[in-house]
Amino acid sequence: QVRLTESAGGSVQAGGSLKLSCTVVSVQTFRNYCMAWFRQVPGKKREGVAIIDVDGRAHSADAVKGRFTVSRDNAKSTHHLQMNSLKPEDTAMYYCAAGGPRRGRCNDGYLDENYFNYWGQGTQVTVFS
């Protein structure tokens, strides 16, 4: 029905960059979904990282603002997270998520796991000093 496949993460030195990608296969067009990235550290709740609506309007969490950029390519049904200036505290399992399909309710006020009903498998990102 709906499948999200994430690219591999990796291990990177602090200050470096990584790009994560998520490919979506669904019965409805990819453009209809609110998309987001979340991350989770063992013992912590899942944390919203960035969110982007069907028109490409994006919002990022304060912890990554200015360093991470979320984007989507509706023609290719892909969703990306470009991570720059990585810090050790960015180390986490990163998850691609899709919500809806819906047109609205996809701004920073909805960057919560309860608003997303489809999830990628998760990929580990480790940042070392």
Side-chain angles (χ1 to χ4, degrees), residues 11-64:
S11 181
V12 63
Q13 189 172 17
S17 299
L18 283 175
K19 185 177 182 179
L20 303 180
S21 297
C22 175
T23 300
V24 180
V25 177
S26 63
V27 294
Q28 288 197 242
T29 181
F30 169 77
R31 179 178 172 81
N32 293 335
Y33 291 92
C34 176
M35 300 297 299
W37 290 93
F38 290 80
R39 64 187 183 184
Q40 188 168 25
V41 176
K44 299 283 188 177
K45 293 183 178 179
R46 192 163 295 184
E47 173 191 15
V49 176
I51 189 168
I52 185 167
D53 71 9
V54 299
D55 295 314
R57 292 182 172 86
H59 304 270
S60 299
D62 289 342
V64 305

Side-chain angles (χ1 to χ4, degrees), residues 5 8 15 30 35 51 56 78 81 102:
T5 303
F30 169 77
M35 300 297 299
I51 189 168
T78 54
L81 184 68
R102 60 175 182 260

Side-chain angles (χ1 to χ4, degrees), residues 26 71 78 82 88 90 108:
S26 63
S71 62
T78 54
Q82 177 66 53
D90 295 319
D108 56 339

